[in-house]
Amino acid sequence: QDVNEVQHRIFAAIARAGGRFMVGDVKQSIYSFRGAQPEIFVNLRRSLPPLSAAEGESAATLSLSRNFRSAPPILDFVNLVYGGLMQAVGEGIGYQPEEDALVAGRTETGTPSRVTVAVFEKEKDGAVVKAPEETDEKEPEEDGWGEEVPDREARYVAAEIAALIGTRGADGKVIRPSDIAILVRKGGAGKRFAAA
C-alpha cells in the first residue's frame, strides 16, 4: 500500500510470472509524503478474484482479517471507527467492510477489555485548553503539544496508567509498568508523556 508508480513498475518488471507476492492494508498507508499511491494497491486488489473463486487463475487475493492479538472489544471499536472513516473517504480507497473488518481470532476471558476515548481541544497556537474531567484553568504558555512539559493529555494518560498499576488484568496477572505502552505519532511527542 506504500509504493509509488515507479516502484510498482519496477516490481512488475523484475517479477517472474506468478512470482510476485504482495501484502498490504490500505488503512496503514502512511507514506504519502514520499509519493506513495495507495490506489495502486486498491486497483490491484480489485482486478484479482478472491482465492475462493480463483480456480484456474494465476493470481488471486486472500483476506487476512482474523486477528489473534487484540481482544474482541478492541476490534469492535476499530471496526466501528474505520467503517465510518473509510466509507466517508469514498470508494476510491477500496475499503470493503465485509472483507476488511477485523475478526476476533480469540475469545476473551475474565474482565472484558475497555475502550476509552478522551478528546482534547487545542487553541490556535497548539496548546491544550480542555481535557476530560478537568477544570478550565489556564495552563502555562510552555505547556503545549510536543513540548517536554507535560500537558493535560499527558497528565490524563499518566493518571490512567497510575490507576492500572497494581490491579489485575483480564488474564488475572497484576499489571506492571512494563505491561503498558504509549503509542505516539512522532518520537519527540513521547517526552511530554515521560515528563508526566
Side-chain angles (χ1 to χ4, degrees):
Q1 76 271 357
D2 288 318
V3 298
N4 59 38
E5 186 63 33
V6 172
Q7 293 167 327
H8 171 59
R9 286 174 182 252
I10 291 171
F11 292 141
I14 63 175
R16 296 189 316 269
R20 191 160 39 139
F21 182 78
M22 298 167 280
V23 179
D25 181 352
V26 76
K27 297 191 300 295
Q28 297 183 41
S29 184
I30 60 173
Y31 291 108
S32 60
F33 68 90
R34 70 172 194 202
Q37 298 169 276
E39 59 269 18
I40 294 171
F41 177 77
V42 170
N43 292 335
L44 277 168
R45 180 181 177 187
R46 286 178 173 161
S47 69
L48 300 172
L51 185 61
S52 59
E55 188 174 344
E57 298 284 342
S58 61
T61 61
L62 175 64
S63 179
L64 304 173
S65 59
R66 193 162 295 278
N67 180 300
F68 294 90
R69 282 185 181 174
S70 304
I74 304 296
L75 298 180
D76 290 343
F77 179 73
V78 169
N79 288 334
L80 177 68
V81 170
Y82 272 105
L85 286 178
M86 290 300 191
Q87 291 185 56
V89 170
E91 291 184 7
I93 202 69
Y95 185 79
Q96 301 170 13
E98 64 281 357
E99 291 185 25
D100 293 326
L102 298 171
V103 178
R106 66 183 175 104
T107 56
E108 189 169 45
T109 58
T111 307
S113 300
R114 180 174 55 100
V115 176
T116 301
V117 177
V119 178
F120 298 85
E121 296 179 18
K122 294 191 290 184
E123 293 176 345
K124 290 180 184 177
D125 64 358
V128 178
V129 296
K130 193 171 184 180
E133 300 175 3
E134 288 199 340
T135 64
D136 287 331
E137 63 189 12
K138 184 170 174 55
E139 290 292 307
E141 288 185 12
E142 69 274 12
D143 189 3
W145 295 86
E147 301 294 332
E148 292 186 22
V149 176
D151 58 27
R152 288 182 175 182
E153 181 193 30
R155 290 196 304 270
Y156 174 82
V157 171
E160 289 290 302
I161 291 172
L164 284 172
I165 302 298
T167 63
R168 295 193 180 276
D171 59 1
K173 295 180 182 176
V174 174
I175 297 175
R176 299 173 300 167
S178 60
D179 296 320
I180 297 171
I182 300 173
L183 306 179
V184 294
R185 249 181 108 76
K186 297 180 181 177
K191 293 178 181 178
R192 58 194 177 92
F193 290 96

